Amino acid sequence: MILERHETRTSDDIRVDAISEHEWRICDRRIPHDDARSLLGFIELTHGRYEVMEFADPVRFSFCTCLDDALARFTHHGDIVKAGAKDAAILRFPRPRPAA
């Protein structure tokens, strides 16, 4: 599937992959996961703020005060992604175990 740059991306089109307990990879689920074009950017929680790196032309950086607003940066027309119960398993990352 080839997506045109002007197509609307909604919260249903977004896949959130936890990299760590404070970092997330954001992908477009309409594009196969093994296609580099599916990678939309990253979100990192740093010093109480969510830093958003959005792969665009040019690459854009922004800061948000909550995860919902950070995720909304990856949708068009202000469609805000809600981190509700169905997303909780995606957004939570298990704490690392201490070394034995």
Side-chain angles (χ1 to χ4, degrees):
M1 168 196 305
I2 297 175
L3 298 175
E4 295 297 322
R5 192 149 186 83
H6 65 274
E7 281 191 48
T8 300
R9 185 183 312 124
T10 68
S11 58
D12 291 336
D13 299 324
I14 302 296
R15 188 181 80 239
V16 180
D17 298 326
I19 299 171
S20 73
E21 61 186 23
H22 57 85
E23 299 169 306
W24 299 269
R25 177 178 38 243
I26 312 302
C27 298
D28 188 327
R29 69 175 70 235
R30 299 172 297 173
I31 301 172
H33 71 279
D34 58 350
D35 185 329
R37 294 174 298 167
S38 70
L39 183 59
L40 301 174
F42 295 94
I43 298 173
E44 180 178 6
L45 178 59
T46 307
H47 305 293
R49 298 187 312 169
Y50 293 89
E51 180 179 1
V52 178
M53 179 193 318
E54 185 180 355
F55 297 147
D57 188 18
V59 173
R60 293 188 291 250
F61 292 89
S62 58
F63 291 91
C64 299
T65 57
C66 71
L67 186 56
D68 285 347
D69 290 345
L71 289 168
R73 300 283 183 173
F74 295 96
T75 63
H76 298 176
H77 305 297
D79 181 29
I80 297 175
V81 177
K82 295 294 181 187
K86 72 179 183 102
D87 299 317
I90 297 170
L91 299 177
R92 262 191 254 130
F93 194 84
R95 293 208 171 272
R97 292 183 174 184

